[in-house]
Amino acid sequence: MEESAALYVVPTPLGNLADLTRRAEEILRTVPWVAAEDTRHSGPLLKQLGAQARTIPAHRHNEHEAAARIVEKLQAGEAVALISDAGTPGISDPGARIVAAVRAAGCKVIPLPGPCAATTALSGSGLLDEHFLFYGFLPSKGGQRRQALEELREQPCALLFYEAPHRVLETVEDMATVFGERTLVIARELTKLFETIHSLPVAEGLAWLKEDPNRQRGEFVLMLSGAPANAESGEGERVLKLLLAEGLPVKQAAKLASAITGAAKNALYDLALALKAG
Ligand code: SAM
């Protein structure tokens, strides 16, 4: 084992057991304690590895208590591995509070790289954005969800969301309403038998999902291409200038240029005002 009294943050497979890294396997096999989101869920994995560790439940509702127990073990010189049901702890999963408490207690935290649905999906998305924003789960209530999406509309980076199968239709419908013309990439059941990665205009997403009920099953990462970088450069500005030259009022020119190019309407409006003033 690498070091004794540390908290190891250990990603576990999303579906394909072969995705457990050799380092993760070694740690889970050798630590005396494993803090697990659901000890029943993680039992088979630990058993398969021949792990002897005793488990500490560490889920969303007992993170403070679990953190105290973990700090106790670490201060007694015993290593602890932290795992969630699948993927990387702390990424839309419990773990962050435990890590914070362990660090605050002056104990060592050693995070391991490994499976994570967001990075796996993004790497297979083909989205060309230079940057990405990982949002995780959107609010489950429609109004709040649309509001959250509205707030992300002008972000010039790819947007990544986690979604559950029973909400995927309404979420994709809201995305189409809020984002208009963007590319949507639906990544489903990654690393599993029915893995699907499909790109399409966001406006066609709902119809595509409805076409075959199987497309609505399983676990989802939804990704949207980002807002065009800025209105000051490129297509948005070119079209805006043409429309202004044709004598269109500022507001109408900004609205049309935004509809034609997908550039942010507010930014185009500001630019049109600046062009008029200048
Ligand atoms: N901590 C995990 C990670 O590192 O990705 C995420 C945990 S979160 C509770 C579960 C969500 O992750 C699912 O609802 C889904 O959005 C996404 N997810 C997990 N496994 C997936 C898979 N195999 N394919 C696509 N999405 C997946």
Side-chain angles (χ1 to χ4, degrees):
M1 211 183 68
E2 305 184 7
E3 187 155 340
S4 55
L7 174 72
Y8 294 90
V9 184
V10 181
T12 54
L14 299 170
N16 186 332
L17 285 183
D19 291 334
L20 189 74
T21 68
R22 278 167 40 202
R23 192 172 165 212
E25 188 174 331
E26 185 199 336
I27 284 166
L28 292 176
R29 245 202 222 116
T30 50
V31 287
W33 295 97
V34 172
E37 183 179 6
D38 181 341
T39 48
R40 281 166 310 173
H41 179 96
S42 300
L45 172 72
L46 296 174
K47 195 166 168 203
Q48 195 182 326
L49 297 176
Q52 302 292 315
R54 280 167 290 169
T55 52
I56 300 172
H59 46 78
R60 211 167 285 290
H61 306 292
N62 80 338
E63 263 193 275
H64 288 294
E65 192 188 315
R69 276 190 75 188
I70 292 167
V71 167
E72 221 174 78
K73 305 293 173 210
L74 295 171
Q75 286 174 339
E78 294 184 292
V80 182
L82 173 67
I83 60 175
S84 58
D85 286 354
T88 303
I91 307 298
S92 295
D93 257 345
R97 284 197 179 86
I98 290 169
V99 167
V102 167
R103 287 166 57 92
C107 300
K108 188 153 188 164
V109 174
I110 301 180
L112 271 63
C116 174
T119 51
T120 305
L122 183 64
S123 69
S125 72
L127 288 174
L128 300 177
D129 302 74
E130 194 66 31
H131 310 283
F132 72 92
L133 185 156
F134 171 66
Y135 191 88
F137 289 100
L138 284 157
S140 54
K141 292 197 175 115
Q144 289 171 11
R145 183 171 53 235
R146 283 188 290 279
Q147 172 72 28
L149 289 171
E150 285 284 355
E151 284 164 16
L152 294 169
R153 217 166 72 97
E154 311 295 335
Q155 292 291 335
C157 51
L159 303 172
L160 272 64
F161 304 91
Y162 282 166
E163 195 47 283
H166 61 279
R167 269 200 287 271
V168 71
L169 291 180
E170 44 190 289
T171 295
V172 167
E173 189 172 14
D174 286 345
M175 285 176 169
T177 308
V178 173
F179 287 87
E181 291 176 25
R182 295 282 179 89
T183 298
L184 170 68
V185 185
I186 301 174
R188 171 182 159 256
E189 293 290 84
L190 293 166
T191 79
K192 301 185 193 175
L193 186 59
F194 295 108
E195 177 174 279
T196 315
I197 305 178
H198 189 72
S199 316
L200 74 179
V202 64
E204 295 170 20
L206 185 63
W208 185 81
L209 286 168
K210 281 184 168 172
E211 226 170 82
D212 178 353
N214 286 322
R215 293 176 182 166
Q216 302 159 33
R217 298 213 172 101
E219 303 196 84
F220 291 86
V221 182
L222 300 173
M223 292 164 282
L224 286 165
S225 57
N230 60 52
E232 288 79 25
S233 63
E235 204 44 2
E237 180 178 13
R238 195 182 68 78
V239 174
L240 180 72
K241 281 180 173 164
L242 281 174
L243 296 171
L244 289 172
E246 286 300 306
L248 259 72
V250 164
K251 201 171 163 191
Q252 202 181 347
K255 192 174 161 193
L256 269 177
S258 165
I260 294 166
T261 64
K265 190 168 67 187
N266 292 345
L268 286 170
Y269 182 72
D270 292 344
L271 178 62
L273 289 178
L275 288 169
K276 281 265 174 194

